[in-house]
Amino acid sequence: MRAGPLSGRAFRRFFLGRSLSLVGDAVVPAALALALLRATGSVSSLALVLGCAMVPKLVLLPVGGVVADRLNARTVAVATDLVRCGMQLLVGLQLLGSDPSIGLIAAAEVVGGAASAFATPALSPLVSATVAAEHRQRANSLLGTAGSVARLGGPALAGLLIWSVGPGWAFILDAGTFAASAALLLGVRIAHAPLPKRSFRSDLMAGWAEVRSRDWYWTSLVAHGIWNLTAAVFMVLGPAIAVRSPGGEGSWVAVLQSGSIGVLVGALLAGRCRVRRPVAAGNLAAGLYALPLAALAASAPAPVVIGAYGVAMAGLGFLGPVWETTVQNTIPEHALARVMSYDWLMSLGAMPVGYFLAPLAAEAWGSTTTLTASALLVGGACVATLAVPGVRRFVVAAEERRTEPVPDEARETEPVPDGARETEPVPDGARETEPVPDGARETEPVPDGARETEPVPDGARETVPAPDGARETEPADVRAT
């Protein structure tokens, strides 16, 4: 039976640390909102602090991608975990005091947001470096599932902390999870090939060239950005419509809960499915977000909107692991962090645009027209990617697997298919031959004139004898044609 990603010690440590920090992050939003409203009674103060966290993250994401590619991704992750630990600890101590300083809290959020800009692009290289290619979709599914569970339980845990010991302790908990993540990552060793020495701008442009050279990638990013823009429209207009419905505020809470469950279901499904056309399938799944927008525009009953939103978020939960795996298996590892930084920039950057435009559009044309246009926009953009040659032709054969060894303790050996004998490495790289009479050593016959493979040096990838004289070829990386 083939081992899964958690059988590797390096990924286990990364997964545990990431899961803990996700729980802490899920607790913070509710605690921050209630703490600031308690302390100041001002929505403007809350908006200021939230903006202080988001703006530096968006601005510095490409810079973080370059740094993560230049340095070891594990080093970047440990450093940013420690920085965020310190900042959350500072905020927690401020909120536990009798007179918290909004200025200090805002400054801490600026530093924490900047650290996130460096940490986010390093996540994908960490998965790529600790998990063999054939297990990456399962690994990304596990990470997506952990995030979904954290989002489901986070608000409840936040409420428990807020009403029992105070909101400051939610930040102390988050600081503890970052410290634990850093400690776990310190025990992970991954290989890293330094980039050639050149200017910072050259590294930025080289990362963008990797995005631009793949039509399936940049067109999908446009569709994903539109998804985030229309998701912001739904989040702005949805509550106002829901509270006027017969279900009132409770119906909107049910919508959000169905979305959290949907993401969890989608992530679990992605861990079990191996789609032949991952880019096309993922984009079509993202297009399901047109359903709740259309349902809300049509003033559908609350159960219909709740169900539609659950289905749409299941599409998002499926897209995440499938997309991450495709990118990790296709983009060269030396450019992966930079490419992911542009990915995150386009996705996260579209949401503030949606938050800004939604009320303006609703005031000018009405909520129904705005929601209908958003449904057509996101559905059309995701389906339109199928017209792109690179999306249509991006096919992963069922038997195609990358078998690059995973560095250090995370390396796993893959069973040889079709019952072929696996050659075990012999000390000093020598291949052991079978003795024959008269002291002569007979070499193993080569089938039908096939070339013999040279002895494999220590730790190198094992070779499988090629059937019927065919020359062995190394499994190719998944590439767009």
Side-chain angles (χ1 to χ4, degrees):
M1 183 175 180
R2 180 174 295 179
L6 289 175
S7 62
R9 178 176 174 272
F11 180 73
R12 279 201 310 271
R13 295 178 71 93
F14 168 62
F15 174 74
L16 179 57
R18 179 66 178 159
S19 300
L20 288 172
S21 61
L22 285 170
V23 171
D25 287 347
V27 170
V28 161
L32 179 63
L34 292 178
L36 289 179
L37 290 175
R38 280 183 182 181
T40 66
S42 169
V43 176
S44 298
S45 296
L46 177 60
L48 170 66
V49 172
L50 292 177
C52 285
M54 178 60 71
V55 171
K57 182 173 183 176
L58 289 176
V59 171
L60 294 175
L61 266 170
V63 178
V66 172
V67 171
D69 275 337
R70 284 186 172 186
L71 304 178
N72 191 302
R74 186 210 62 139
T75 303
V76 174
V78 170
T80 53
D81 277 347
L82 292 176
V83 170
R84 289 181 290 178
C85 170
M87 293 304 101
Q88 296 299 73
L89 184 61
L90 174 60
V91 173
L93 292 175
Q94 282 290 311
L95 294 177
L96 289 176
S98 58
D99 186 22
S101 167
I102 301 302
L104 276 177
I105 293 174
E109 291 300 307
V110 168
V111 176
S116 295
F118 289 83
T120 302
L123 293 176
S124 216
L126 279 171
V127 175
S128 179
T130 57
V131 183
E134 65 270 21
H135 298 310
R136 284 177 190 157
Q137 187 161 320
R138 176 63 177 156
N140 288 310
S141 171
L142 288 169
L143 290 167
T145 301
S148 300
V149 171
R151 283 187 291 272
L152 276 171
L157 180 57
L160 178 63
L161 290 169
I162 290 167
W163 300 115
S164 60
V165 292
W169 285 101
F171 288 86
I172 302 296
L173 172 66
D174 198 21
T177 62
F178 280 125
S181 175
L184 287 165
L185 283 174
L186 282 173
V188 175
R189 296 290 181 268
I190 63 174
H192 174 70
L195 294 179
K197 289 186 177 181
R198 54 189 175 188
S199 69
F200 195 86
R201 182 178 180 277
S202 296
D203 282 342
L204 278 175
M205 296 308 297
W208 178 247
E210 293 286 349
V211 174
R212 190 183 58 189
S213 64
R214 295 169 172 83
D215 61 353
W216 62 268
Y217 197 100
W218 68 263
T219 53
S220 296
L221 286 191
V222 171
H224 299 170
I226 291 173
W227 189 101
N228 281 279
L229 186 147
T230 57
V233 172
F234 185 84
M235 286 299 164
V236 170
L237 302 183
I241 295 174
V243 296
R244 296 196 299 266
S245 69
E249 294 179 352
S251 64
W252 182 246
V253 173
V255 167
L256 297 180
Q257 286 299 104
S258 74
S260 298
I261 295 171
V263 174
L264 175 60
V265 171
L268 290 171
L269 180 63
R272 295 183 174 274
C273 292
R274 293 295 182 269
V275 290
R276 188 166 179 262
R277 301 179 185 273
V279 179
N283 288 344
L284 289 177
L288 294 173
Y289 204 82
L291 297 179
L293 288 163
L296 207 59
S299 300
V304 174
V305 177
I306 292 168
Y309 190 66
V311 171
M313 295 306 285
L316 175 65
F318 177 80
L319 167 67
V322 170
W323 177 257
E324 291 277 350
T325 304
T326 301
V327 174
Q328 290 161 7
N329 287 351
T330 307
I331 302 298
E333 291 188 5
H334 68 267
L336 184 55
R338 280 169 291 171
V339 169
M340 291 306 301
S341 71
Y342 289 116
D343 193 324
W344 281 101
L345 179 62
M346 292 188 69
S347 296
L348 294 179
M351 295 202 80
V353 176
Y355 290 138
F356 176 76
L357 293 179
L360 298 178
E363 185 177 348
W365 303 300
S367 295
T368 299
T369 301
T370 302
L371 290 165
T372 301
S374 298
L376 293 173
L377 182 61
V378 68
C382 292
V383 172
T385 61
L386 299 183
V388 178
V391 173
R392 291 198 312 272
R393 298 171 185 167
F394 198 112
V395 177
V396 179
E399 69 277 4
E400 189 174 53
R401 295 290 185 269
R402 279 174 55 176
T403 55
E404 293 177 4
V406 181
D408 302 327
E409 65 274 13
R411 184 182 292 127
E412 299 174 33
T413 56
E414 182 180 0
V416 179
D418 302 326
R421 281 188 310 173
E422 196 168 11
T423 57
E424 297 182 359
V426 180
D428 301 324
R431 179 179 297 175
E432 195 170 345
T433 56
E434 184 179 346
V436 295
D438 302 328
R441 180 172 296 178
E442 186 177 345
T443 58
E444 185 177 349
V446 180
D448 300 334
R451 268 198 319 194
E452 290 187 3
T453 57
E454 294 181 1
V456 179
D458 296 331
R461 185 163 37 200
E462 295 179 353
T463 57
V464 180
D468 301 328
R471 197 166 82 185
E472 289 185 326
T473 56
E474 181 179 314
D477 294 351
V478 181
R479 298 282 174 186
T481 55

